[in-house]
Amino acid sequence: MDEQRPFKKYRANCHCKAYVFEAELPETIDTGLVCNCSYCYKRGAIYQCPKSSDDISFVKGDPATLTCYSFGGVEHKFCPTCGNYLLRVDGTNTYVNLRIVQNFNTWDLPTQPIPNASPPPAWTPPKFTGTEPQVEIEGAKMYTGGCHCGAVTLAFKSKPIDETYDAPLIECDCSICCRQGYIWIYPSKRQVRTAGWENMGYYAFGRGVWRKTFCRTCGVPIQNHIEDYTPERLEAEVPEEHRQWAREHLEWSPLNLRMLEAVDLEGLRRKAKFTRVNGSTARGPFYENP
């Protein structure tokens, strides 16, 4: 960290607005910091570090009530309600996840490794032990993945997710997707089997039909879940103006590519396989930063 660079105050918050804080960070942030450990990879986190942890001041929410997940001697702190990842605490250094900084676009931000970071600890992906999806797909490959702590695992049957994949892989800049760093793939429910539903948190906003799921223990974002609504439940639980949209998406099971194993995200990016969607301006009501 360059002590001579001018700093300024940035405001950041989780999506549900339970936690809002201000941090003194470099006035010009032209490079983000990344950690290549297995947890930060699943989070897609991009950091900056203030000069001191005293340069982070919470204006709403008690930081002591953030959920803390420890891995390799590093504490990762996230909101227990919406799952947004706020802070990385490594010894005396506290890093801010730039994805939650207000009005800050990380899409094209160059990155470099965190200086003097310890080598990432070994980690073995938890095994999926449930029943694999039985859907027939020509030339299919079975992928597995899940959260970091192993409380949530899944199996996903798909055409190979490589340079030959011709269905959408989406990055969205809406208020929740930019904060969580999602890269979306859009299988049907028949292609996915999930174990550990009871260990997931659910967060809904907007229409309230989609619910973003994340592991309550480690916070890793998993999928975008829509209930198996019967016509009766749809009538009773979904506002009339959203019912047709819900009917059209009942069989969808969007997944966060970051939590899948054996998917080369950087290779896909180099091949320009990701489509960027400006969800932040696509339709209202629009999110208001606190």
Side-chain angles (χ1 to χ4, degrees):
M1 182 173 58
D2 187 352
E3 297 285 347
Q4 303 306 313
R5 297 176 64 184
F7 277 56
K8 79 170 190 178
K9 186 175 292 185
Y10 292 80
R11 178 168 281 222
N13 64 279
C14 65
H15 194 272
C16 70
K17 306 179 185 181
Y19 300 91
V20 183
F21 66 89
E22 294 177 339
E24 294 282 344
L25 298 173
E27 183 174 15
T28 301
I29 300 177
D30 49 20
T31 304
L33 303 176
V34 294
C35 169
N36 64 350
C37 81
S38 51
Y39 182 80
C40 293
Y41 171 84
K42 286 181 177 286
R43 280 299 207 166
I46 303 174
Y47 306 104
Q48 268 293 336
C49 186
K51 295 178 182 178
S52 164
S53 60
D54 293 335
D55 293 326
I56 298 174
S57 176
F58 276 77
V59 297
K60 182 182 179 185
D62 181 355
T65 61
L66 289 166
T67 300
C68 180
Y69 177 69
S70 296
F71 176 65
V74 177
E75 294 183 343
H76 304 277
K77 299 188 176 186
F78 63 92
C79 173
T81 300
C82 63
N84 284 182
Y85 179 30
L86 277 66
L87 302 171
R88 177 188 190 274
V89 182
D90 184 357
T92 59
N93 291 324
T94 299
Y95 296 83
V96 173
N97 181 12
L98 291 177
R99 291 191 181 277
I100 64 159
V101 173
Q102 294 179 6
N103 305 314
F104 190 89
N105 189 342
T106 61
W107 265 0
D108 295 314
L109 184 69
T111 60
Q112 65 182 41
I114 293 175
N116 305 314
S118 301
W123 177 78
T124 301
K127 291 184 177 180
F128 176 76
T129 57
T131 303
E132 294 182 348
Q134 301 301 306
V135 61
E136 294 294 329
I137 299 175
E138 184 178 357
K141 179 177 178 178
M142 191 70 70
Y143 292 89
T144 58
C147 68
H148 193 268
C149 69
V152 180
T153 58
L154 59 77
F156 166 40
K157 195 172 186 179
S158 170
K159 292 182 178 180
I161 307 170
D162 56 22
E163 67 276 4
T164 67
Y165 192 79
D166 57 2
L169 301 173
I170 300 293
E171 287 183 297
C172 173
D173 74 346
C174 78
S175 56
I176 186 67
C177 290
C178 67
R179 282 176 166 81
Q180 293 285 59
Y182 293 115
I183 302 175
W184 292 113
I185 190 170
Y186 293 88
S188 69
K189 288 180 178 178
R190 295 181 303 138
Q191 294 175 254
V192 182
R193 291 290 182 271
T194 304
W197 287 103
E198 69 279 8
N199 300 318
M200 285 201 278
Y202 299 85
Y203 178 67
F205 72 103
R207 293 189 181 98
V209 177
W210 288 121
R211 295 196 296 165
K212 306 292 190 293
T213 67
F214 61 94
C215 173
R216 291 201 304 266
T217 299
C218 65
V220 168
I222 305 295
Q223 61 194 165
N224 215 355
H225 178 66
I226 187 170
E227 293 289 329
D228 294 322
Y229 288 111
T230 62
E232 293 76 19
R233 282 189 62 196
L234 199 66
E235 184 79 17
E237 300 176 24
V238 178
E240 183 177 0
E241 63 269 24
H242 301 326
R243 287 174 197 159
Q244 184 57 38
W245 189 92
R247 291 187 190 99
E248 293 171 355
H249 295 82
L250 282 177
E251 295 304 314
W252 287 34
S253 184
L255 301 178
N256 179 19
L257 272 182
R258 294 188 188 276
M259 58 84 198
L260 293 177
E261 307 303 325
V263 176
D264 181 5
L265 295 182
E266 289 308 310
L268 290 169
R269 192 178 298 282
R270 287 193 298 271
K271 296 289 186 180
K273 298 299 290 185
F274 299 147
T275 299
R276 289 180 171 179
V277 174
N278 296 114
S280 60
T281 57
R283 58 179 178 270
F286 299 112
Y287 185 80
E288 294 184 6
N289 288 317

